PDB file of all heavy atoms in Angstrom:
ATOM      1  N   LYS J  85      -3.963  29.065  11.532  1.00 98.00           N
ATOM      2  CA  LYS J  85      -5.362  29.121  11.052  1.00 98.00           C
ATOM      3  C   LYS J  85      -6.285  30.055  11.812  1.00 98.00           C
ATOM      4  O   LYS J  85      -7.482  30.036  11.573  1.00 98.00           O
ATOM      5  CB  LYS J  85      -5.944  27.716  11.068  1.00 98.00           C
ATOM      6  CG  LYS J  85      -6.035  27.123  12.466  1.00 98.00           C
ATOM      7  CD  LYS J  85      -7.016  25.967  12.557  1.00 98.00           C
ATOM      8  CE  LYS J  85      -7.133  25.494  13.981  1.00 98.00           C
ATOM      9  NZ  LYS J  85      -8.063  24.397  14.181  1.00 98.00           N
ATOM     10  N   VAL J  87      -8.108  33.253  12.353  1.00 97.00           N
ATOM     11  CA  VAL J  87      -8.444  34.417  11.531  1.00 97.00           C
ATOM     12  C   VAL J  87      -8.063  35.728  12.212  1.00 97.00           C
ATOM     13  O   VAL J  87      -7.383  36.576  11.624  1.00 97.00           O
ATOM     14  CB  VAL J  87      -9.958  34.380  11.202  1.00 97.00           C
ATOM     15  CG1 VAL J  87     -10.416  35.679  10.581  1.00 97.00           C
ATOM     16  CG2 VAL J  87     -10.270  33.187  10.302  1.00 97.00           C
ATOM     17  N   SER J 125      -9.772  26.151   2.043  1.00 98.00           N
ATOM     18  CA  SER J 125     -10.873  26.558   2.906  1.00 98.00           C
ATOM     19  C   SER J 125     -11.963  27.249   2.099  1.00 98.00           C
ATOM     20  O   SER J 125     -11.679  27.933   1.108  1.00 98.00           O
ATOM     21  CB  SER J 125     -10.331  27.546   3.941  1.00 98.00           C
ATOM     22  OG  SER J 125     -11.371  28.180   4.627  1.00 98.00           O
ATOM     23  N   ALA J 126     -13.181  27.130   2.573  1.00 98.00           N
ATOM     24  CA  ALA J 126     -14.311  27.841   1.971  1.00 98.00           C
ATOM     25  C   ALA J 126     -14.091  29.349   2.005  1.00 98.00           C
ATOM     26  O   ALA J 126     -14.727  30.084   1.241  1.00 98.00           O
ATOM     27  CB  ALA J 126     -15.586  27.495   2.719  1.00 98.00           C
ATOM     28  N   THR J 127     -13.182  29.790   2.865  1.00 98.00           N
ATOM     29  CA  THR J 127     -12.915  31.220   2.990  1.00 98.00           C
ATOM     30  C   THR J 127     -12.432  31.834   1.672  1.00 98.00           C
ATOM     31  O   THR J 127     -12.627  33.038   1.442  1.00 98.00           O
ATOM     32  CB  THR J 127     -11.912  31.464   4.144  1.00 98.00           C
ATOM     33  OG1 THR J 127     -11.920  32.835   4.477  1.00 98.00           O
ATOM     34  CG2 THR J 127     -10.499  31.057   3.790  1.00 98.00           C
ATOM     35  N   TYR J 150      -5.283  35.382   6.797  1.00 98.00           N
ATOM     36  CA  TYR J 150      -5.374  33.919   6.769  1.00 98.00           C
ATOM     37  C   TYR J 150      -6.017  33.456   5.453  1.00 98.00           C
ATOM     38  O   TYR J 150      -5.491  32.582   4.749  1.00 98.00           O
ATOM     39  CB  TYR J 150      -6.189  33.401   7.968  1.00 98.00           C
ATOM     40  CG  TYR J 150      -6.605  31.954   7.791  1.00 98.00           C
ATOM     41  CD1 TYR J 150      -5.672  30.931   7.918  1.00 98.00           C
ATOM     42  CD2 TYR J 150      -7.919  31.610   7.437  1.00 98.00           C
ATOM     43  CE1 TYR J 150      -6.037  29.602   7.715  1.00 98.00           C
ATOM     44  CE2 TYR J 150      -8.288  30.294   7.231  1.00 98.00           C
ATOM     45  CZ  TYR J 150      -7.341  29.293   7.372  1.00 98.00           C
ATOM     46  OH  TYR J 150      -7.705  27.979   7.148  1.00 98.00           O
ATOM     47  N   LYS J 154      -4.529  31.213   1.981  1.00 98.00           N
ATOM     48  CA  LYS J 154      -5.144  30.041   1.328  1.00 98.00           C
ATOM     49  C   LYS J 154      -5.325  30.303  -0.170  1.00 98.00           C
ATOM     50  O   LYS J 154      -5.046  29.447  -1.005  1.00 98.00           O
ATOM     51  CB  LYS J 154      -6.503  29.703   1.971  1.00 98.00           C
ATOM     52  CG  LYS J 154      -6.409  29.148   3.370  1.00 98.00           C
ATOM     53  CD  LYS J 154      -5.733  27.787   3.416  1.00 98.00           C
ATOM     54  CE  LYS J 154      -5.552  27.279   4.833  1.00 98.00           C
ATOM     55  NZ  LYS J 154      -4.634  26.149   4.952  1.00 98.00           N
ATOM     56  N   PHE J 179     -15.387  23.193   4.708  1.00 98.00           N
ATOM     57  CA  PHE J 179     -16.349  24.131   5.275  1.00 98.00           C
ATOM     58  C   PHE J 179     -16.075  24.194   6.793  1.00 98.00           C
ATOM     59  O   PHE J 179     -14.956  24.499   7.170  1.00 98.00           O
ATOM     60  CB  PHE J 179     -17.760  23.792   4.787  1.00 98.00           C
ATOM     61  CG  PHE J 179     -17.916  24.326   3.367  1.00 98.00           C
ATOM     62  CD1 PHE J 179     -17.181  23.772   2.308  1.00 98.00           C
ATOM     63  CD2 PHE J 179     -18.643  25.474   3.106  1.00 98.00           C
ATOM     64  CE1 PHE J 179     -17.206  24.330   1.028  1.00 98.00           C
ATOM     65  CE2 PHE J 179     -18.686  26.029   1.820  1.00 98.00           C
ATOM     66  CZ  PHE J 179     -17.971  25.462   0.791  1.00 98.00           C
ATOM     67  N   ASN J 180     -17.014  23.935   7.675  1.00 98.00           N
ATOM     68  CA  ASN J 180     -16.715  24.125   9.109  1.00 98.00           C
ATOM     69  C   ASN J 180     -16.591  22.783   9.829  1.00 98.00           C
ATOM     70  O   ASN J 180     -17.594  22.232  10.278  1.00 98.00           O
ATOM     71  CB  ASN J 180     -17.790  24.995   9.763  1.00 98.00           C
ATOM     72  CG  ASN J 180     -17.703  26.449   9.364  1.00 98.00           C
ATOM     73  OD1 ASN J 180     -17.746  26.777   8.180  1.00 98.00           O
ATOM     74  ND2 ASN J 180     -17.573  27.339  10.329  1.00 98.00           N
ATOM     75  N   PRO J 181     -15.362  22.278   9.988  1.00 98.00           N
ATOM     76  CA  PRO J 181     -15.175  20.978  10.632  1.00 98.00           C
ATOM     77  C   PRO J 181     -15.409  21.061  12.140  1.00 98.00           C
ATOM     78  O   PRO J 181     -14.868  21.944  12.807  1.00 98.00           O
ATOM     79  CB  PRO J 181     -13.702  20.631  10.355  1.00 98.00           C
ATOM     80  CG  PRO J 181     -13.190  21.674   9.420  1.00 98.00           C
ATOM     81  CD  PRO J 181     -14.069  22.850   9.533  1.00 98.00           C
ATOM     82  N   ASN J 199     -11.449  30.333  19.239  1.00 94.00           N
ATOM     83  CA  ASN J 199     -12.003  31.285  18.273  1.00 94.00           C
ATOM     84  C   ASN J 199     -13.271  30.732  17.645  1.00 94.00           C
ATOM     85  O   ASN J 199     -14.133  31.479  17.216  1.00 94.00           O
ATOM     86  CB  ASN J 199     -11.009  31.511  17.127  1.00 94.00           C
ATOM     87  CG  ASN J 199      -9.688  32.038  17.631  1.00 94.00           C
ATOM     88  OD1 ASN J 199      -9.660  33.111  18.217  1.00 94.00           O
ATOM     89  ND2 ASN J 199      -8.621  31.292  17.423  1.00 94.00           N
ATOM     90  N   ASN J 200     -13.332  29.420  17.551  1.00 98.00           N
ATOM     91  CA  ASN J 200     -14.408  28.790  16.786  1.00 98.00           C
ATOM     92  C   ASN J 200     -15.563  28.369  17.697  1.00 98.00           C
ATOM     93  O   ASN J 200     -15.382  28.174  18.896  1.00 98.00           O
ATOM     94  CB  ASN J 200     -13.876  27.585  16.003  1.00 98.00           C
ATOM     95  CG  ASN J 200     -12.818  28.013  14.997  1.00 98.00           C
ATOM     96  OD1 ASN J 200     -11.636  27.734  15.171  1.00 98.00           O
ATOM     97  ND2 ASN J 200     -13.225  28.732  13.969  1.00 98.00           N
ATOM     98  N   LEU J 201     -16.713  28.225  17.087  1.00 98.00           N
ATOM     99  CA  LEU J 201     -17.942  28.011  17.850  1.00 98.00           C
ATOM    100  C   LEU J 201     -17.927  26.723  18.686  1.00 98.00           C
ATOM    101  O   LEU J 201     -18.190  26.769  19.889  1.00 98.00           O
ATOM    102  CB  LEU J 201     -19.131  28.010  16.875  1.00 98.00           C
ATOM    103  CG  LEU J 201     -20.490  27.744  17.514  1.00 98.00           C
ATOM    104  CD1 LEU J 201     -20.850  28.838  18.527  1.00 98.00           C
ATOM    105  CD2 LEU J 201     -21.574  27.647  16.432  1.00 98.00           C
ATOM    106  N   MET J 202     -17.680  25.571  18.055  1.00 98.00           N
ATOM    107  CA  MET J 202     -17.866  24.312  18.800  1.00 98.00           C
ATOM    108  C   MET J 202     -16.927  24.166  19.990  1.00 98.00           C
ATOM    109  O   MET J 202     -17.384  23.811  21.086  1.00 98.00           O
ATOM    110  CB  MET J 202     -17.790  23.109  17.847  1.00 98.00           C
ATOM    111  CG  MET J 202     -18.113  21.796  18.519  1.00 98.00           C
ATOM    112  SD  MET J 202     -19.720  21.772  19.399  1.00 98.00           S
ATOM    113  CE  MET J 202     -20.831  21.314  18.087  1.00 98.00           C
ATOM    114  N   TYR J 204     -15.749  26.459  21.745  1.00 98.00           N
ATOM    115  CA  TYR J 204     -16.245  27.397  22.769  1.00 98.00           C
ATOM    116  C   TYR J 204     -17.421  26.764  23.515  1.00 98.00           C
ATOM    117  O   TYR J 204     -17.492  26.787  24.751  1.00 98.00           O
ATOM    118  CB  TYR J 204     -16.638  28.745  22.144  1.00 98.00           C
ATOM    119  CG  TYR J 204     -16.520  29.859  23.152  1.00 98.00           C
ATOM    120  CD1 TYR J 204     -15.415  30.713  23.159  1.00 98.00           C
ATOM    121  CD2 TYR J 204     -17.483  30.015  24.156  1.00 98.00           C
ATOM    122  CE1 TYR J 204     -15.273  31.703  24.125  1.00 98.00           C
ATOM    123  CE2 TYR J 204     -17.348  30.985  25.125  1.00 98.00           C
ATOM    124  CZ  TYR J 204     -16.247  31.832  25.102  1.00 98.00           C
ATOM    125  OH  TYR J 204     -16.099  32.796  26.075  1.00 98.00           O
ATOM    126  N   LEU J 216     -21.657  31.268  26.509  1.00 98.00           N
ATOM    127  CA  LEU J 216     -21.330  31.541  25.115  1.00 98.00           C
ATOM    128  C   LEU J 216     -21.964  32.866  24.718  1.00 98.00           C
ATOM    129  O   LEU J 216     -23.114  33.136  25.076  1.00 98.00           O
ATOM    130  CB  LEU J 216     -21.912  30.416  24.230  1.00 98.00           C
ATOM    131  CG  LEU J 216     -21.876  30.661  22.716  1.00 98.00           C
ATOM    132  CD1 LEU J 216     -20.459  30.423  22.166  1.00 98.00           C
ATOM    133  CD2 LEU J 216     -22.865  29.749  21.994  1.00 98.00           C
ATOM    134  N   THR J 217     -21.227  33.681  23.986  1.00 98.00           N
ATOM    135  CA  THR J 217     -21.848  34.848  23.364  1.00 98.00           C
ATOM    136  C   THR J 217     -22.119  34.508  21.904  1.00 98.00           C
ATOM    137  O   THR J 217     -21.191  34.126  21.171  1.00 98.00           O
ATOM    138  CB  THR J 217     -20.921  36.078  23.452  1.00 98.00           C
ATOM    139  OG1 THR J 217     -20.653  36.346  24.833  1.00 98.00           O
ATOM    140  CG2 THR J 217     -21.572  37.302  22.815  1.00 98.00           C
ATOM    141  N   VAL J 218     -23.362  34.606  21.502  1.00 98.00           N
ATOM    142  CA  VAL J 218     -23.720  34.388  20.099  1.00 98.00           C
ATOM    143  C   VAL J 218     -23.527  35.726  19.389  1.00 98.00           C
ATOM    144  O   VAL J 218     -24.147  36.730  19.757  1.00 98.00           O
ATOM    145  CB  VAL J 218     -25.180  33.892  19.967  1.00 98.00           C
ATOM    146  CG1 VAL J 218     -25.578  33.785  18.497  1.00 98.00           C
ATOM    147  CG2 VAL J 218     -25.356  32.560  20.677  1.00 98.00           C
ATOM    148  N   PHE J 219     -22.650  35.697  18.373  1.00 98.00           N
ATOM    149  CA  PHE J 219     -22.277  36.952  17.719  1.00 98.00           C
ATOM    150  C   PHE J 219     -23.340  37.401  16.696  1.00 98.00           C
ATOM    151  O   PHE J 219     -23.244  37.083  15.529  1.00 98.00           O
ATOM    152  CB  PHE J 219     -20.920  36.799  17.025  1.00 98.00           C
ATOM    153  CG  PHE J 219     -19.774  36.482  17.960  1.00 98.00           C
ATOM    154  CD1 PHE J 219     -18.788  35.583  17.577  1.00 98.00           C
ATOM    155  CD2 PHE J 219     -19.667  37.090  19.211  1.00 98.00           C
ATOM    156  CE1 PHE J 219     -17.713  35.290  18.422  1.00 98.00           C
ATOM    157  CE2 PHE J 219     -18.605  36.802  20.066  1.00 98.00           C
ATOM    158  CZ  PHE J 219     -17.625  35.899  19.674  1.00 98.00           C
ATOM    159  N   CYS J 230     -26.050  33.535  12.305  1.00 98.00           N
ATOM    160  CA  CYS J 230     -25.347  33.102  11.082  1.00 98.00           C
ATOM    161  C   CYS J 230     -25.516  31.607  10.839  1.00 98.00           C
ATOM    162  O   CYS J 230     -25.582  30.815  11.776  1.00 98.00           O
ATOM    163  CB  CYS J 230     -23.855  33.385  11.203  1.00 98.00           C
ATOM    164  SG  CYS J 230     -23.435  35.111  11.214  1.00 98.00           S
ATOM    165  N   ARG J 231     -25.521  31.242   9.569  1.00 98.00           N
ATOM    166  CA  ARG J 231     -25.622  29.811   9.221  1.00 98.00           C
ATOM    167  C   ARG J 231     -24.345  29.354   8.510  1.00 98.00           C
ATOM    168  O   ARG J 231     -23.803  30.049   7.651  1.00 98.00           O
ATOM    169  CB  ARG J 231     -26.841  29.568   8.337  1.00 98.00           C
ATOM    170  CG  ARG J 231     -28.125  29.998   9.049  1.00 98.00           C
ATOM    171  CD  ARG J 231     -29.325  29.204   8.640  1.00 98.00           C
ATOM    172  NE  ARG J 231     -29.589  29.232   7.208  1.00 98.00           N
ATOM    173  CZ  ARG J 231     -30.478  28.440   6.613  1.00 98.00           C
ATOM    174  NH1 ARG J 231     -31.161  27.542   7.319  1.00 98.00           N
ATOM    175  NH2 ARG J 231     -30.687  28.537   5.319  1.00 98.00           N
ATOM    176  N   ARG J 232     -23.884  28.149   8.890  1.00 98.00           N
ATOM    177  CA  ARG J 232     -22.660  27.572   8.329  1.00 98.00           C
ATOM    178  C   ARG J 232     -22.886  26.111   7.982  1.00 98.00           C
ATOM    179  O   ARG J 232     -23.786  25.464   8.518  1.00 98.00           O
ATOM    180  CB  ARG J 232     -21.513  27.633   9.364  1.00 98.00           C
ATOM    181  CG  ARG J 232     -21.079  29.028   9.772  1.00 98.00           C
ATOM    182  CD  ARG J 232     -20.286  29.712   8.681  1.00 98.00           C
ATOM    183  NE  ARG J 232     -19.850  31.041   9.087  1.00 98.00           N
ATOM    184  CZ  ARG J 232     -20.538  32.163   8.906  1.00 98.00           C
ATOM    185  NH1 ARG J 232     -21.736  32.121   8.315  1.00 98.00           N
ATOM    186  NH2 ARG J 232     -20.062  33.328   9.292  1.00 98.00           N
ATOM    187  N   TYR J 234     -21.558  22.914   8.770  1.00 99.00           N
ATOM    188  CA  TYR J 234     -20.708  22.161   9.706  1.00 99.00           C
ATOM    189  C   TYR J 234     -20.556  20.731   9.206  1.00 99.00           C
ATOM    190  O   TYR J 234     -21.535  20.103   8.798  1.00 99.00           O
ATOM    191  CB  TYR J 234     -21.326  22.179  11.116  1.00 99.00           C
ATOM    192  CG  TYR J 234     -21.372  23.584  11.680  1.00 99.00           C
ATOM    193  CD1 TYR J 234     -22.514  24.384  11.537  1.00 99.00           C
ATOM    194  CD2 TYR J 234     -20.257  24.139  12.304  1.00 99.00           C
ATOM    195  CE1 TYR J 234     -22.553  25.683  12.008  1.00 99.00           C
ATOM    196  CE2 TYR J 234     -20.284  25.444  12.781  1.00 99.00           C
ATOM    197  CZ  TYR J 234     -21.427  26.202  12.626  1.00 99.00           C
ATOM    198  OH  TYR J 234     -21.457  27.495  13.096  1.00 99.00           O
ATOM    199  N   VAL J 270     -26.283  29.250  14.392  1.00 98.00           N
ATOM    200  CA  VAL J 270     -25.604  29.169  15.688  1.00 98.00           C
ATOM    201  C   VAL J 270     -26.585  28.674  16.754  1.00 98.00           C
ATOM    202  O   VAL J 270     -26.271  27.780  17.552  1.00 98.00           O
ATOM    203  CB  VAL J 270     -25.014  30.542  16.097  1.00 98.00           C
ATOM    204  CG1 VAL J 270     -24.336  30.459  17.459  1.00 98.00           C
ATOM    205  CG2 VAL J 270     -24.035  31.052  15.050  1.00 98.00           C
ATOM    206  N   ARG J 293     -19.726  39.773  15.061  1.00 97.00           N
ATOM    207  CA  ARG J 293     -18.262  39.706  15.020  1.00 97.00           C
ATOM    208  C   ARG J 293     -17.798  40.274  13.683  1.00 97.00           C
ATOM    209  O   ARG J 293     -18.315  39.876  12.630  1.00 97.00           O
ATOM    210  CB  ARG J 293     -17.811  38.248  15.185  1.00 97.00           C
ATOM    211  CG  ARG J 293     -16.305  38.058  15.185  1.00 97.00           C
ATOM    212  CD  ARG J 293     -15.914  36.617  15.515  1.00 97.00           C
ATOM    213  NE  ARG J 293     -16.291  35.678  14.464  1.00 97.00           N
ATOM    214  CZ  ARG J 293     -16.040  34.368  14.517  1.00 97.00           C
ATOM    215  NH1 ARG J 293     -15.438  33.840  15.567  1.00 97.00           N
ATOM    216  NH2 ARG J 293     -16.412  33.582  13.533  1.00 97.00           N
ATOM    217  N   ASP J 296     -17.730  38.509   9.856  1.00 96.00           N
ATOM    218  CA  ASP J 296     -18.651  37.377   9.632  1.00 96.00           C
ATOM    219  C   ASP J 296     -19.632  37.686   8.513  1.00 96.00           C
ATOM    220  O   ASP J 296     -20.129  38.810   8.401  1.00 96.00           O
ATOM    221  CB  ASP J 296     -19.450  37.077  10.913  1.00 96.00           C
ATOM    222  CG  ASP J 296     -18.682  36.211  11.899  1.00 96.00           C
ATOM    223  OD1 ASP J 296     -17.650  35.616  11.501  1.00 96.00           O
ATOM    224  OD2 ASP J 296     -19.110  36.136  13.066  1.00 96.00           O
ATOM    225  N   PHE J 300     -23.017  30.760   4.666  1.00 98.00           N
ATOM    226  CA  PHE J 300     -22.433  30.078   3.505  1.00 98.00           C
ATOM    227  C   PHE J 300     -22.445  28.578   3.694  1.00 98.00           C
ATOM    228  O   PHE J 300     -22.378  28.073   4.812  1.00 98.00           O
ATOM    229  CB  PHE J 300     -21.028  30.605   3.148  1.00 98.00           C
ATOM    230  CG  PHE J 300     -19.946  30.403   4.168  1.00 98.00           C
ATOM    231  CD1 PHE J 300     -19.230  29.211   4.232  1.00 98.00           C
ATOM    232  CD2 PHE J 300     -19.615  31.422   5.062  1.00 98.00           C
ATOM    233  CE1 PHE J 300     -18.204  29.030   5.170  1.00 98.00           C
ATOM    234  CE2 PHE J 300     -18.600  31.243   5.996  1.00 98.00           C
ATOM    235  CZ  PHE J 300     -17.902  30.058   6.045  1.00 98.00           C
TER     236      PHE J 300
HETATM  237  C1  LIG Y   2     -19.137  29.903  13.291  1.00 65.96           C
HETATM  238  C2  LIG Y   2     -20.332  30.765  13.672  1.00 65.96           C
HETATM  239  C3  LIG Y   2     -19.767  32.955  14.463  1.00 65.96           C
HETATM  240  C4  LIG Y   2     -17.840  31.744  18.186  1.00 65.96           C
HETATM  241  C5  LIG Y   2     -13.871  29.966  10.488  1.00 65.96           C
HETATM  242  C6  LIG Y   2     -12.930  30.567   9.478  1.00 65.96           C
HETATM  243  C7  LIG Y   2     -12.993  29.787   8.212  1.00 65.96           C
HETATM  244  C8  LIG Y   2     -12.757  28.298   8.471  1.00 65.96           C
HETATM  245  C9  LIG Y   2     -13.635  27.771   9.550  1.00 65.96           C
HETATM  246  C10 LIG Y   2     -10.426  27.835   8.255  1.00 65.96           C
HETATM  247  C11 LIG Y   2     -20.191  32.213  13.205  1.00 65.96           C
HETATM  248  C12 LIG Y   2     -20.444  32.145  15.545  1.00 65.96           C
HETATM  249  C13 LIG Y   2     -18.492  31.716  16.977  1.00 65.96           C
HETATM  250  C14 LIG Y   2     -18.529  32.293  19.321  1.00 65.96           C
HETATM  251  C15 LIG Y   2     -20.442  32.695  17.937  1.00 65.96           C
HETATM  252  N1  LIG Y   2     -11.435  28.058   8.966  1.00 65.96           N
HETATM  253  N2  LIG Y   2     -19.765  32.183  16.845  1.00 65.96           N
HETATM  254  N3  LIG Y   2     -19.799  32.731  19.135  1.00 65.96           N
HETATM  255  O1  LIG Y   2     -16.094  31.984  11.215  1.00 65.96           O
HETATM  256  O2  LIG Y   2     -17.612  30.306  10.072  1.00 65.96           O
HETATM  257  O3  LIG Y   2     -15.192  30.021   9.965  1.00 65.96           O
HETATM  258  O4  LIG Y   2     -13.512  28.595  10.716  1.00 65.96           O
HETATM  259  O5  LIG Y   2     -10.327  27.935   7.061  1.00 65.96           O
HETATM  260  O6  LIG Y   2     -12.035  30.313   7.367  1.00 65.96           O
HETATM  261  O7  LIG Y   2     -13.311  31.905   9.245  1.00 65.96           O
HETATM  262  O8  LIG Y   2     -16.307  29.599  12.084  1.00 65.96           O
HETATM  263  O9  LIG Y   2     -16.565  28.554  14.288  1.00 65.96           O
HETATM  264  O10 LIG Y   2     -15.538  30.866  14.144  1.00 65.96           O
HETATM  265  O11 LIG Y   2     -17.952  30.572  13.690  1.00 65.96           O
HETATM  266  O12 LIG Y   2     -21.594  33.111  17.837  1.00 65.96           O
HETATM  267  O13 LIG Y   2     -17.979  32.360  20.423  1.00 65.96           O
HETATM  268  O14 LIG Y   2     -20.409  30.805  15.104  1.00 65.96           O
HETATM  269  O15 LIG Y   2     -20.201  34.283  14.502  1.00 65.96           O
HETATM  270  O16 LIG Y   2     -21.464  32.641  12.836  1.00 65.96           O
HETATM  271  P1  LIG Y   2     -16.377  30.622  10.816  1.00 65.96           P
HETATM  272  P2  LIG Y   2     -16.510  29.883  13.619  1.00 65.96           P
END
Side-chain angles (χ1 to χ4, degrees):
K85 64 160 184 179
V87 169
S125 168
T127 195
Y150 165 74
K154 290 294 176 194
F179 281 67
N180 287 57
N199 301 299
N200 298 109
L201 178 62
M202 186 54 87
Y204 207 101
L216 170 77
T217 301
V218 175
F219 298 141
C230 292
R231 301 210 303 170
R232 296 286 181 270
Y234 296 94
V270 179
R293 181 173 68 179
D296 277 346
F300 64 85

